[in-house]
Amino acid sequence: PIRPIPPTPYPTPPTLQWPSTMAEAQVEDAFLLKVLRDLVNFRILQAEASDAAAASDEDLDTRLEALWDLCVDANTAEALVALKGIPILAQACEKVSYEGRQAEVCQGIVANVCSHWAVAEPMSPENAELVTSTALRALFSQDGLVVLQALRAVCALMCNPATQAQTPFWTEDAVERYLFVLQNSLRWDAVRHACDALSQGLVLEARQAEGEDMELSDEGSKPYSALKLLTSAGRLSTVLAQRTEELITVVQEEVEIAEGDGDPETALLSALCLAESFLAVAGCSSRQEAVALCCAALRALEGAGKPEVLTAALEVLGSLLEANANNGAAPEEEGLGAQVKAFSSSAPGIAEKLALLLADFHEDSTATAALAALALLQHAPRGEVMQQLEAIASAARAVDAQDAMAVGVSAEFW
């Protein structure tokens, strides 16, 4: 169930043959050169300007923001790297101590460059080091918008197969920072990327534990493991349950979101994916933690509308029920079983929602989600279940009967 998170914007497949010139970029190289030159002259060197140059400086912010948008295009990002743009952007961030609009835009441009795997992979060692050090410093900025762009770069680098083995973004200080953002940020995009960074870090730990050929430590020492920090006193599971509840409330009440704060339902999806990865790698250390995550998953099933969010909630619930069964607990007699039964019997329209979701499942869909849906449906009002019988029966045929019984599906319902 552990899956790497793709960066944003989604990269073109690495097999694409990239041009050796800038001919295919969406912008002429003269524009890039002028922006970089003015950034050096007016923001880094802070040279005294003539009237004409002063006007160019006033327009620089607008042109930097345009460049930020243009670097969504991989060819433009490649052209920027070829013109030595990475060192200039790094210096521009450092000049303002990684705070303010200039740092946000420059770090955002770097994050867009990193999101194109085929551009980030062949970077020179000097550029790669600059990208990494700039993202790390920006990650600990006091400016939340700068931190958001740093998180975007971190996620892109951690997910890129060519750079993840060298990434220093999985350390105690970095993990503490991700947890801080997850727990405290009111910007849903920041919450989303903090969850993605933690998810990908857990992916790297899981691969290391499975003996895959990945060197997470440049010094050859034992790679850092965040599990002790994340599981101490149920820290991650508690924070996840709380923030998931908040996100569901925002989604249900259709709270007006300020521009740039991000989509709460997308952040909810990332939080549920993190919960799934955490359960696969570590699991809950107490029944209270399991019940808290169970309640959050059930609330997501009730309040979310996107199919991918509903599926993620089912996967979390299924993982919890499977762990409950593996620990020898009788599902109907434990806290999880009571929560599932109470929810299914009272949530309006849950049978139809789950049946529609089951009908859309394909061969690659996880059986865990289907098992969780069946565990819920057995407690739904009988009349509602009968109306959706065809889809439910089709899903039941696709899973193993013993697995279904293990997560609490009764033989009578089966």
Side-chain angles (χ1 to χ4, degrees), residues 118-173:
V119 177
E121 181 176 349
M123 274 188 187
S124 67
E126 294 79 11
N127 276 343
E129 184 177 351
L130 275 173
V131 166
T132 299
S133 61
T134 301
L136 277 173
R137 293 189 181 99
L139 185 63
F140 290 90
S141 169
Q142 298 302 307
D143 189 324
L145 291 171
V146 177
V147 173
L148 169 57
Q149 299 309 318
L151 284 168
R152 290 184 58 239
V154 166
C155 290
L157 292 169
M158 291 181 74
C159 292
N160 189 338
T163 59
Q164 61 185 203
Q166 291 80 36
T167 180
F169 301 120
W170 197 244
T171 63
E172 184 172 355
D173 288 342

Side-chain angles (χ1 to χ4, degrees), residues 13-37:
T15 54
L16 183 64
Q17 296 297 316
W18 297 97
S20 57
T21 67
M22 300 172 224
E24 296 185 29
Q26 290 186 354
V27 61
E28 294 183 359
D29 57 331
F31 171 81
L32 298 177
L33 285 168
K34 182 172 176 54
V35 172
L36 294 174
R37 183 194 65 196

Side-chain angles (χ1 to χ4, degrees), residues 178-179 181-184 188 191-192 194-196 198-199 202 230 233-248 267-280 283-284 289 292-297 299-300 316:
Y178 306 145
L179 287 170
V181 174
L182 171 59
Q183 186 169 8
N184 297 287
W188 303 127
V191 172
R192 167 197 169 191
C195 289
D196 290 350
L198 287 167
S199 290
L202 290 173
L230 298 177
R235 185 173 181 184
L236 179 58
S237 57
T238 301
V239 171
L240 266 177
Q242 292 172 348
R243 291 320 304 263
T244 300
E245 290 280 357
E246 292 176 25
L247 285 163
I248 296 164
L268 175 59
L269 174 60
S270 288
L272 291 169
C273 289
L274 172 56
E276 180 195 356
S277 293
F278 177 69
L279 290 172
C284 294
E289 294 174 42
L293 284 178
C294 176
C295 291
R299 285 264 287 130
V316 171

Side-chain angles (χ1 to χ4, degrees), residues 184-241:
N184 297 287
S185 181
L186 296 180
R187 300 185 184 279
W188 303 127
D189 261 354
V191 172
R192 167 197 169 191
H193 290 296
C195 289
D196 290 350
L198 287 167
S199 290
Q200 186 61 16
L202 290 173
V203 169
L204 299 179
E205 280 205 24
R207 289 177 178 173
Q208 182 70 22
E210 292 170 0
E212 292 192 14
D213 187 19
M214 295 184 62
E215 297 180 2
L216 299 185
S217 173
D218 292 334
E219 301 175 357
S221 58
K222 185 177 180 180
Y224 171 71
S225 174
L227 291 182
K228 184 177 180 180
L229 175 63
L230 298 177
T231 57
S232 177
R235 185 173 181 184
L236 179 58
S237 57
T238 301
V239 171
L240 266 177

